[in-house]
Structure formats: structure tokens, C-alpha cells
Amino acid sequence: MEIEIATIGGFEEVGRQMTAVRAGEDVVVFDMGLNLSQVLIHDNVETEQMHSLDLIDMGAIPDDRVMSDLEGDVQAIVPTHGHLDHIGAISKLAHRYNAPVVATPYTIELVKQQVKGENKFSVDNDLVKMDAGGTMSIGPQCELEFVNVSHSVIDAINPVLHTPEGSVVYGLDKRIDHNPVIGDPIDMERFREIGREDNGVLCYIEDCTNAGHKGRTPSESVARTHLKDTLQSIEDYDGGIVATTFSSHIARVKSLVEFAEEIGRKPVLLGRSMEKYSGTAERLDFVEFPGDLGMYGHRKSVDRTFKRIMKEGKEKFLPVVTGHQGEPRAMLTRMARGETPFELDDGDKVIFSARVIPEPTNEGQRYQAERLLKMQGARIYDEIHVSGHLREEGHYQMLDALQPQHVIPGHQDLQGFAPYVDLAESQGYAVGRDLHVTRNGNMITLVE
Ligand SMILES: [Zn+2]
């Protein structure tokens, strides 16, 4: 059976991930993501109104025109998890394919919300839920399987396409976590089994994000302990404490909510995306929040909550807000600019349970937000966080478990691929032979 891989997006950047695998007549598309930094760089871009081709020109969504070179029918569009760089282009591209979107329940729910907000295209692809561990047939000879992984969003999987020539494992976004705060640990046993099956692993497409970092990525339970320790250390502070984290990081939000209560404060989630991700996770029973937990997204209800906090006493609350990257329109940045009724006083604590995404736009915005917060006397607690991506030792473990014939580094630019290429070469792979360093818009033929 002919096997071809089209590397469509996310092979020159972190963002707009998209890869297609053709096995004989059948094609499966993995991820359809957005490169948010290409959108945010322009003022006031409303992507909901924009046409796909304009967004492709901006570098915001994958240039999927290469798909016309693949001689087969798309049978499924498979986003691996709910981060925007993996699902953010579905509303702009999926309608061009006569295929269902297949993903885990939390991811499907986020896709559904995104498609609903789309104004330019009507996306009516079927949305099919499949849990980690589930399988479905792709054409007469192939099978799609979801393997549970741990990442910084719940319900993440690595999809595997089993073909008669061996498996194609799409390894984007994971950490090897044996003690996640929500959900099951990563299913390393299944990866090892897949590596030992008859035809083994034909190809492994890997996320190189942290390949240049030594050691292993700590578990989410480490970030949880760090957070607990930090909040306990300011338990007796009688002024304002504000925390921010990735809205989609439900495990972290859950920890913040729990520890707020432990130090005698009422947690409240503020900001549009806080309400969206946490509300969805609660509705789907991924997390149980206290019955009276307030979640507010609309400007008016947020301001009303801030007024209430100021009236009843800042020392009684712990607002968990958006804005960990200093995004200009997010809640924490608005607070820093004094645009909300919440007044920061000298000595008030601001907890960043996130790291700055190492990208000049983010770094600049975050720097500005921190400066503004400090001008009001705020004290900053930084980097209470663990990454969602594998480091060196995790990459060695994955190669050891899967023993792939071919490896394709992804989720980075050329510079980001370099440490992974060194690592893979130390394991016997060679660039140009079975280690395929590629760019967006390329086709790699594995079996002719
Ligand atoms: Zn991710």
C-alpha cells in the first residue's frame, strides 16, 4: 500500500498544525490549527469574518492547497486536543472536505463552539466523538486508534493510523505524566505494544517543542504542589491576591480553585475564555467545581463581580483571570491599566501560573503588563508551571517505545528541529534517510 505524508502546517512555526497521511486511497488529516501570533500582530482582526485564502496569506492557517496533490479521499479530520494551534482552522478549512471531524469529547465540544462562532463559512461536517482507547475503520484496510496522553489540556490523545505497512503515530503535544491532576496517566504501555506489533511503527511524527531541554518534563502534580506552597505562604495576607493561568488548563484552574478555598478565599473565574473552557469541562463532568463557583465572561458581569469584591473586601476572594501572556485585551491587563473596578494596592499579589511563551510578541506584552502591575505596587509570583511538552528524556523514551522506521520532527521551525535531529541521530537515525526534516507544503513518500 502506498503511504505518503503531507506536512502542511506547523513545520516552520509553532502554530497552524496540519498533517495529512495517505494510505492507499484513504487520507486522514491530523490537526487544523491557527497560528494566533499571526493574527494578534494585526490590530482588531476579526477572524470570524475572514476568508480562508486571506488567512492563508497571513500565515494564520495552514495552506492546504497541497492536499490536491494527494490522490485519495479524506476520511477523517482528527484534531488531537483542544488548543487553538490544533483546532483553530477547522472553521475555515473543514468544509472543503467531505469527512467527519473525529476527536475526544472535550475537543469536539470546543470544535462545536468554534464552528458556531464562524460567520464566513457554514461548516457542517459531522462531529464524531471517540474516547481515548477507541478505534474506527478508515477504508477497508486501515484503522484509526486514539492513545491517551497527558498534556496541558484535558482529553488529549495521540492518534495512530494502523496500515498494512505499519502504523503512523502522530505524536503532537504531550508530556509523559504518571501523576496528572485530572484524567489517566499517559498510556505508555499501549505505545510499547504498538511498537512491537507485526509491522511495527512505519512513521512517527514528533513535537519538538522542548527537545532542547535536558531531563524530563515534571508532572502536573509538581506544579500543583508549587502552587499550594505559594498560596500557603501568603495565607495571612489581608489584601488582594489575583491569579492567572491558561484558561484551557483545567487541571491548573481546579488546583487554583481548591487552594483558594484552603486559604479561606472565595475563588471566582473571570474572563471570556475562563468561562468557556471551565464551563465546558464542568458540563462534560471532567471536573467538579464547588456549586457556588462564579464564572463570568461578559464585561458587565465581570465588572459587577469586581465591584462586589471591592465592597465585601479583597481579602475574601481570589479572582482567577485571563491574561497570563499580557494579552492587551485580557482581564489582567485591563486590571493593570486600571480599567476595572478592582483596585490594586501596594503589596497585592499577582500569581502567574504560566510561563511566557518564548515569542517576541508575547514577551513584549507580558513585560508591559508586569510593568503596569508593578507601578501599582503589585508583587509578582512567576512561572508556577510545568510544560505540556516532552523534554529530551521523554523523546528518548518515545523512540525506545515505538522503534519507528521513519521519524518526522514537527511543531517547530528549523532552529527548533535542530536539537531533536541531534537526539534522533544519536539513536541511529540519519537525515535524508529515515529522519525527514521538512517544511510546510512538502510531500514525503514512505512506501511507493
Ligand atoms: Zn497543545
Side-chain angles (χ1 to χ4, degrees):
M1 182 181 271
E2 291 176 18
I3 310 279
E4 251 184 330
I5 313 247
T7 56
I8 303 165
F11 294 86
E12 295 177 14
E13 66 267 289
V14 177
R16 59 165 177 167
Q17 319 301 330
M18 181 169 170
T19 300
V21 178
R22 178 175 75 84
E25 307 283 293
D26 301 307
V27 176
V28 176
V29 173
F30 296 120
D31 288 332
M32 260 186 192
L34 178 72
N35 187 357
L36 201 59
S37 60
Q38 292 297 103
V39 177
L40 293 177
I41 201 107
H42 306 278
D43 266 348
N44 296 322
V45 169
E46 300 280 345
T47 55
E48 295 87 348
Q49 312 283 353
M50 285 181 70
H51 196 276
S52 316
L53 290 175
D54 297 323
L55 286 161
I56 288 174
D57 284 343
M58 271 170 74
I61 63 172
D63 186 350
D64 68 341
R65 284 171 288 193
V66 65
M67 287 293 288
S68 56
D69 299 338
L70 274 184
E71 285 169 18
D73 294 323
V74 176
Q75 302 294 351
I77 297 164
V78 181
T80 50
H81 61 284
H83 284 153
L84 277 180
D85 55 333
H86 297 256
I87 66 167
I90 289 176
S91 55
K92 299 294 178 186
L93 297 177
H95 66 278
R96 304 195 206 190
Y97 305 99
N98 182 20
V101 177
V102 184
T104 56
Y106 189 67
T107 309
I108 283 288
E109 194 56 35
L110 296 176
V111 169
K112 199 187 283 178
Q113 292 173 19
Q114 185 203 102
V115 163
K116 214 188 272 177
E118 168 65 27
N119 294 334
K120 191 86 191 169
F121 302 106
S122 70
V123 181
D124 50 14
N125 305 60
D126 283 342
L127 303 181
V128 177
K129 289 178 198 160
M130 187 160 99
D131 284 311
T135 59
M136 78 183 275
S137 301
I138 299 289
Q141 291 190 75
C142 299
E143 189 177 62
L144 176 70
E145 175 185 357
F146 283 0
V147 180
N148 186 55
V149 299
S150 20
H151 187 42
S152 39
V153 62
I154 49 177
D155 224 9
I157 50 95
N158 275 177
V160 178
L161 184 65
H162 297 279
T163 82
E165 305 289 341
S167 303
V168 176
V169 180
Y170 183 75
L172 264 53
D173 295 36
K174 65 177 169 299
R175 138 186 92 223
I176 295 178
D177 194 334
H178 302 294
N179 298 286
V181 170
I182 295 179
D184 291 328
I186 183 170
D187 195 350
M188 286 305 287
E189 203 183 320
R190 183 62 192 136
F191 282 127
R192 279 190 290 268
E193 275 171 15
I194 291 169
R196 288 192 301 264
E197 276 167 4
D198 286 351
N199 294 315
V201 175
L202 175 66
C203 183
Y204 181 44
I205 300 152
E206 178 58 305
D207 152 20
C208 299
T209 307
N210 280 343
H213 294 270
K214 285 191 279 284
R216 72 182 295 275
T217 310
S219 162
E220 177 60 21
S221 53
V222 173
R224 182 174 160 89
T225 304
H226 188 184
L227 195 57
K228 183 173 183 165
D229 181 58
T230 305
L231 284 169
Q232 279 176 339
S233 77
I234 48 179
E235 185 166 6
D236 297 330
Y237 181 64
D238 61 0
I241 303 178
V242 180
T244 181
T245 189
F246 299 87
S247 308
S248 57
H249 202 323
I250 304 304
R252 198 68 56 76
V253 173
K254 172 184 149 81
S255 297
L256 277 163
V257 165
E258 282 176 25
F259 300 142
E261 296 200 312
E262 274 182 28
I263 63 165
R265 288 174 184 249
K266 201 175 167 56
V268 52
L269 309 184
L270 300 175
R272 261 197 321 168
S273 56
M274 273 295 162
E275 184 190 30
K276 169 181 147 174
Y277 289 104
S278 283
T280 304
E282 193 182 33
R283 250 195 343 276
L284 298 185
D285 285 332
F286 280 96
V287 61
E288 201 178 327
F289 288 126
D292 60 346
L293 177 69
M295 293 183 207
Y296 305 104
H298 288 290
R299 183 73 61 97
K300 271 189 187 155
S301 44
V302 170
D303 282 356
R304 208 180 303 128
T305 308
F306 277 139
K307 277 183 194 147
R308 187 178 143 216
I309 292 172
M310 292 308 293
K311 195 167 146 227
E312 292 181 20
K314 284 194 290 185
E315 72 285 358
K316 297 195 175 82
F317 294 88
L318 195 148
V320 179
V321 302
T322 54
H324 54 89
Q325 298 298 311
E327 304 91 324
R329 279 174 284 181
M331 195 56 59
L332 187 62
T333 316
R334 290 185 54 225
M335 294 167 84
R337 284 197 301 255
E339 291 174 9
T340 74
F342 189 96
E343 286 161 33
L344 283 158
D345 290 309
D346 227 17
D348 279 357
K349 324 294 181 199
V350 178
I351 293 166
F352 285 89
S353 194
R355 68 164 193 151
V356 188
I357 295 166
E359 207 256 333
T361 312
N362 284 306
E363 283 163 349
Q365 287 175 350
R366 170 72 177 267
Y367 174 79
Q368 258 190 333
E370 282 193 35
R371 280 291 297 273
L372 288 165
L373 289 165
K374 278 187 192 158
M375 279 179 195
Q376 300 194 47
R379 302 280 184 75
I380 310 276
Y381 293 72
D382 198 5
E383 295 242 10
I384 303 176
H385 187 59
V386 297
S387 169
H389 302 268
L390 294 176
R391 289 181 165 208
E392 257 182 28
E393 291 305 322
H395 288 300
Y396 284 124
Q397 274 181 281
M398 285 308 300
L399 287 177
D400 188 51
L402 294 173
Q403 303 282 326
Q405 290 176 47
H406 296 268
V407 178
I408 304 176
H411 208 275
Q412 271 295 335
D413 56 13
L414 272 181
Q415 230 177 342
F417 292 156
Y420 188 83
V421 167
D422 284 341
L423 185 154
E425 288 201 325
S426 79
Q427 300 304 293
Y429 295 91
V431 170
R433 188 185 68 201
D434 46 15
L435 177 57
H436 307 270
V437 175
T438 184
R439 305 285 276 165
N440 292 341
N442 287 340
M443 206 72 85
I444 299 165
T445 303
L446 296 177
V447 181
E448 286 182 35

